[in-house]
């Protein structure tokens, strides 16, 4: 099968790419990226500007799209710039892939995603989920991790402070509040792409703690 990945240079995306390339079920991986991703016989890296995505590239037609795109308001510089990466780009990728006939979309969303939330981050994620559902993919999987665990190069204060606390409290925390390790999220995403369930499916954080 052919997969189209967006966000494959990120913490979760790197794990998704690794699993996709290792899977015998996957013959071709097209990764839309702005960074080199290394060489692999199955990998086609396409260097794109997400503000100017091509209309009619052949790789829009795949068996599944897996999206792990995302940024932070701090890195992006404003709420508007954050929304561009966390809402506009994943939705535009979905539109083009769906128009080309791709039947499956797997989104790395977030715990708390809710289009009616008063919290901007949760509302953005919820609006993306809602608007992706409206595109009519035969299979749409919304993977909603809690705080993501893994080795991140970029310094993020909230994660530096909270990850050790959540790690130490793991035995007494409800599973939904535990850390979601990046490889566990990636495994759930790849399985949802290879074995797509019909309709809109949610994989919640309590299924992603890895324990
Ligand atoms: N951090 C958490 O604890 C947490 C919790 C729940 C959900 N989430 C969500 O989970 C998803 C994946 O998280 P992650 O930690 O794996 O993300 P990440 O490591 O920050 O990676 C994000 C990916 O998005 C790409 N990207 C960011 N800005 C871009 C831009 N302007 N143009 C093109 N590509 C851009 C990055 O590409 P470059 O490498 O080129 O920058 C990278 O491939 C995100 O949607 C995030 O909101 C995160």
């Amino acid at each position: 099968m052919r997969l189209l990945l967006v966000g494959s240079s990120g913490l979760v995306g790197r794990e998704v790419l690794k699993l996709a390339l290792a899977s015998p079920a996957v013959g071709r991986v097209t990764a839309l990226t702005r960074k080199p991703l290394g060489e692999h016989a199955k990998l086609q890296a396409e260097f794109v500007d997400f503000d100017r995505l091509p209309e009619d590239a052949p790789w829009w037609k795949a068996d599944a799209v897996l999206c792990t795109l995302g940024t932070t308001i701090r890195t992006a510089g404003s709420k508007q710039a954050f929304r561009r990466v966390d809402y506009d780009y994943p939705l535009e990728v979905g539109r083009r892939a769906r128009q080309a006939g791709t039947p499956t979309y797997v989104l790395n969303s977030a715990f708390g995603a809710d289009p009616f939330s008063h919290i901007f981050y949760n509302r953005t994620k919820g609006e993306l989920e809602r608007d992706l559902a409206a595109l009519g993919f035969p299979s749409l999987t919304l993977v909603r991790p809690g705080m993501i665990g893994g080795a991140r190069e970029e310094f993020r204060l909230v994660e530096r402070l909270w990850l050790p606390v959540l790690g130490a409290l793991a035995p007494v925390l409800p599973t939904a509040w535990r850390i979601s390790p990046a490889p566990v999220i990636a495994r759930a995403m790849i399985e949802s792409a290879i074995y797509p369930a019909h309709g809109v499916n949610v994989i919640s954080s309590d299924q992603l703690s890895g324990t």
Side-chain angles (χ1 to χ4, degrees):
M1 68 189 301
R2 298 175 71 100
L3 300 182
L4 180 61
L5 309 189
V6 284
S8 44
S9 55
L11 185 56
V12 177
R14 285 196 301 268
E15 300 293 332
V16 171
L17 179 59
K18 222 189 294 176
L19 290 176
L21 293 175
S23 169
V26 178
R28 190 79 168 154
V29 177
T30 302
L32 308 190
T33 183
R34 55 181 183 172
K35 280 185 187 152
L37 297 170
E39 300 277 320
H40 191 286
K42 286 191 204 173
L43 176 63
Q44 174 189 16
E46 288 288 336
F47 294 91
V48 297
D49 174 352
F50 281 84
D51 283 320
R52 289 176 197 78
L53 287 169
E55 285 290 339
D56 53 1
W59 32 259
W60 287 124
K61 178 158 176 46
D63 294 294
V65 177
L66 294 97
C67 176
T68 55
L69 272 181
T71 187
T72 60
I73 296 173
R74 190 188 165 96
T75 303
S78 67
K79 281 184 171 180
Q80 196 187 7
F82 164 84
R83 190 176 163 87
R84 193 129 189 82
V85 178
D86 278 64
Y87 173 87
D88 292 346
Y89 294 167
L91 187 61
E92 199 49 43
V93 165
R95 268 202 200 102
R96 285 165 201 242
R98 186 68 206 112
Q99 269 167 13
T102 299
T104 298
Y105 193 115
V106 184
L107 174 71
N108 182 165
S109 182
F111 175 80
D114 175 1
F116 302 107
S117 175
H118 296 295
I119 302 167
F120 174 73
Y121 177 86
N122 292 358
R123 191 166 68 247
T124 305
K125 296 293 186 187
E127 287 172 347
L128 173 60
E129 290 187 351
R130 178 197 64 199
D131 296 343
L132 277 175
L135 295 179
F137 282 93
S139 175
L140 170 65
T141 300
L142 308 168
V143 181
R144 293 181 180 158
M147 191 161 277
I148 297 174
R152 191 186 294 287
E153 284 153 28
E154 181 189 350
F155 178 78
R156 292 190 185 170
L157 182 63
V158 174
E159 290 181 15
R160 279 293 161 90
L161 295 175
W162 274 103
L163 281 170
V165 175
L166 291 177
L169 292 178
V172 295
L173 279 179
T175 44
W177 287 72
R178 293 186 194 161
I179 293 168
S180 304
V184 176
I185 302 166
R187 169 73 56 197
M189 292 185 73
I190 283 286
E191 283 177 3
S192 303
I194 296 177
Y195 309 105
H198 192 75
V200 179
N201 312 282
V202 173
I203 298 180
S204 52
S205 57
D206 55 350
Q207 296 166 271
L208 296 167
S209 69
T211 55

